[in-house]
Amino acid sequence: RRPKSDKSDCVLRVEEMRKQREDRRRKAEEAKVKRAEEAKEAEGRGGIESVDFLRKINEHREANGLTESLDAWSGGDIWNVASEGDTSRIRVCVRKRPMLRVERLRHDFDVISLEADHSALVVHEPRTRVDLQKVIESHRFVFDAVFNESDSNENIYAASLRPMLTHVFSGGMGTVFAFGQTGSGKTCTMAGHGNHELNDGNERGLYALAAHDIVLAAKASNLSVIVSFFEVYRGQVLDLLGGRAKVDVLENGRGRVQVVGLREFRISAAEELLEVVKAAEENRATGATSANEQSSRSHAILQVYVRDDAGRAIGKLSLVDLAGSERAADASSKDRQTRIEGAEINKSLLCLKECIRSLDSDSAHIPFRGSKLTQVLRDSFVGRAKTTMIAAISPGSSAAEYTLNTLRYAQRVKEFSGRRPPAAVAALRPGGPPAAPSAT
């Protein structure tokens, strides 16, 4: 019941209407200010035409507890966080690099969102429908670890590669693959950028970080360290330490693959290994693609052998910087050389995926003869072998399609792992299965 008042019902109604009008004006002014702020943000990030995309991405992040970046990884050893009954010999992790200055200048915006536990990420794919309505399709992926721009090469090394060295020195085979679109940070992860002035923890790559620990462990165990470095380019194996001389890949009577004529160097200090890597990188094949003017067009493989005084092999570590993965559009380039390179790269990546699946499922048949890459890495797929795949992704909106291709490839490898597949893990968390897109 309305309280007693000296005012008539008509006057009270007019005042109520005035209050409602003022509330509408206030809300309209707040909405106007918010749109202006969004437009200003969009001008600095993705251009004024990206206002709708950015608003939808922010709404999705707020609704699902996601963030654009996280603190550095603190989850420890990814090989030591296995669930009960885990017999998998594969770990798949993702590295999101920072936005580059050139990307911001061309008004790219970040389309990658992260979950707080460092195990999942969401790609917001910008789409424009036929009616010109702007929407985003959000794709969720779950992996063993998700590293972001706050993580340095040292963090990644401590979590993924250092734990494998114990396995190598106890007689096992360890392999680390860096995979992804050209320009996504694979080579920076493996070799580092070398600029100590940046002081971001990425001046040294996995090569240098592993070299130090390997040499120390070898000296402590009175073992020797032998290295070789070669590339697989257009179906041929070329020795990067021998002037890119072509070498033959043969199989002996016991089924072991031998790279005939490959130069090997004995090292006794980490600095010597880094000199070997530097000399090899200068000889590596690069070329221009539609995605990157300086794309690595070959698979570079650094192999480190640990041997005893009698020359018997104890263990082996392979660090593989894969060639930049490209879409079919790049493989169908008008340039004949680029077209052939793209076809060979895609063929070898497909065969690599099949070999990794066979490794983890203990299959009797491993199709390593499908490409030169898997043929020279046969030891990495048999016996006591462990594999880590690092999928490097670009966060920019212009690279969303490439990023999704990279993550889908990594997810397929992960789904055939002996651990629970990502779909089963995702079903236990809000957000549904990893690859199911949602349009907003």
Side-chain angles (χ1 to χ4, degrees):
R1 180 180 297 178
R2 193 181 305 168
K4 292 183 179 180
S5 173
D6 295 335
K7 298 179 181 179
S8 66
D9 288 344
C10 181
V11 173
L12 292 172
R13 180 60 179 162
V14 169
E15 290 180 348
E16 185 177 351
M17 291 173 62
R18 183 186 299 117
K19 182 179 179 182
Q20 291 175 350
R21 183 170 61 250
E22 291 173 353
D23 287 341
R24 287 196 301 270
R25 288 175 176 174
R26 178 178 52 80
K27 290 179 180 179
E29 185 64 26
E30 290 175 353
K32 181 179 178 180
V33 171
K34 184 177 181 181
R35 285 196 299 271
E37 291 174 351
E38 290 175 346
K40 184 177 180 180
E41 179 188 11
E43 286 179 357
R45 300 182 65 182
I48 191 65
E49 68 279 0
S50 301
V51 172
D52 292 337
F53 288 137
L54 289 169
R55 184 176 66 252
K56 291 179 183 296
I57 290 174
N58 288 333
E59 288 174 353
H60 191 282
R61 285 172 177 163
E62 291 175 3
N64 293 275
L66 304 174
T67 181
E68 188 174 321
S69 63
L70 295 170
D71 293 334
W73 170 266
S74 59
D77 171 6
I78 64 173
W79 287 94
N80 197 37
V81 293
S83 58
E84 185 177 353
D86 180 7
T87 59
S88 174
R89 293 184 287 175
I90 300 172
R91 293 292 184 270
V92 182
C93 51
V94 174
R95 183 182 199 184
K96 173 193 174 186
R97 67 157 171 77
M99 289 283 290
L100 303 178
R101 182 173 179 271
V102 65
E103 291 174 322
R104 298 192 184 280
L105 288 176
R106 65 173 180 240
H107 299 303
D108 259 11
F109 53 93
D110 194 327
V111 296
I112 308 295
S113 296
L114 310 170
E115 294 189 7
D117 61 358
H118 288 267
S119 68
L121 74 163
V122 176
V123 181
H124 307 287
E125 183 183 12
R127 303 292 292 271
T128 303
R129 291 177 173 170
V130 292
D131 60 356
L132 301 183
Q133 180 185 2
K134 290 181 171 61
V135 299
I136 59 167
E137 291 187 0
S138 298
H139 309 259
R140 184 171 182 268
F141 300 87
V142 180
F143 297 102
D144 293 299
V146 176
F147 302 106
N148 70 104
E149 49 265 58
S150 300
D151 290 297
S152 65
N153 287 340
E154 294 175 1
N155 295 129
I156 297 172
Y157 171 74
S160 61
L161 179 50
R162 180 180 288 155
M164 296 178 69
L165 298 184
T166 303
H167 175 71
V168 170
F169 276 86
S170 63
M173 303 289 178
T175 308
V176 177
F177 293 99
F179 160 75
Q181 168 204 359
T182 59
S184 59
K186 301 182 306 299
T187 301
C188 179
T189 299
M190 300 302 284
H193 54 60
N195 188 349
H196 294 274
E197 294 180 358
L198 294 179
N199 194 29
D200 59 358
N202 294 318
E203 60 273 9
R204 295 191 302 165
L206 300 188
Y207 294 148
L209 296 168
H212 180 266
D213 288 348
I214 288 172
V215 171
L216 285 180
K219 288 182 178 179
S221 303
N222 197 27
L223 300 171
S224 58
V225 178
I226 312 296
V227 299
S228 62
F229 208 147
F230 56 93
E231 69 176 351
V232 179
Y233 176 66
R234 291 176 59 172
Q236 297 180 337
V237 179
L238 307 176
D239 187 0
L240 293 177
L241 300 179
R244 298 191 78 229
K246 181 181 176 182
V247 293
D248 296 319
V249 181
L250 304 176
E251 193 173 337
N252 62 21
R254 292 183 292 179
R256 294 182 178 178
V257 174
Q258 305 289 335
V259 183
V260 181
L262 186 66
R263 295 188 66 183
E264 296 181 346
F265 290 86
R266 182 188 298 269
I267 64 169
S268 57
E271 291 74 16
E272 295 177 10
L273 191 150
L274 297 182
E275 290 176 3
V276 167
V277 170
K278 183 178 180 181
E281 288 289 342
E282 292 176 354
N283 291 326
R284 189 178 178 188
T286 60
T289 70
S290 64
N292 191 352
E293 293 183 358
Q294 284 294 320
S295 171
S296 300
R297 307 305 292 159
S298 67
H299 307 301
I301 305 168
L302 171 65
Q303 292 192 324
V304 182
Y305 307 86
V306 179
R307 296 174 180 167
D308 60 18
D309 292 338
R312 292 187 297 267
I314 301 299
K316 182 172 75 173
L317 176 66
S318 300
L319 301 177
V320 186
D321 182 5
L322 294 172
S325 58
E326 311 297 348
R327 300 174 302 164
D330 296 298
S332 59
S333 168
K334 293 180 180 179
D335 182 81
R336 184 173 183 272
Q337 177 173 332
T338 303
R339 186 170 65 250
I340 294 174
E341 290 172 348
E344 285 290 341
I345 290 170
N346 291 339
K347 173 187 173 183
S348 59
L349 292 177
L350 176 62
C351 189
L352 173 63
K353 181 190 70 175
E354 295 300 321
C355 288
I356 292 177
R357 283 169 47 181
S358 300
L359 161 69
D360 206 62
S361 61
D362 289 325
S363 173
H365 172 67
I366 298 178
F368 65 89
R369 293 190 181 90
S371 73
K372 273 290 189 290
L373 172 67
T374 51
Q375 190 175 358
V376 297
L377 291 175
R378 185 189 178 187
D379 289 348
S380 300
F381 306 117
V382 297
R384 296 183 57 206
K386 287 187 175 183
T387 299
T388 295
M389 174 173 282
I390 302 173
I393 59 173
S394 304
S397 54
S398 62
E401 185 177 355
Y402 292 98
T403 295
L404 284 171
N405 288 340
T406 298
L407 293 173
R408 285 166 180 156
Y409 180 94
Q411 179 186 310
R412 285 194 291 270
V413 172
K414 179 64 183 163
E415 282 179 344
F416 286 89
S417 168
R419 306 181 70 186
R420 279 190 302 174
V425 177
L428 301 178
R429 302 181 180 179
S438 60
T440 305

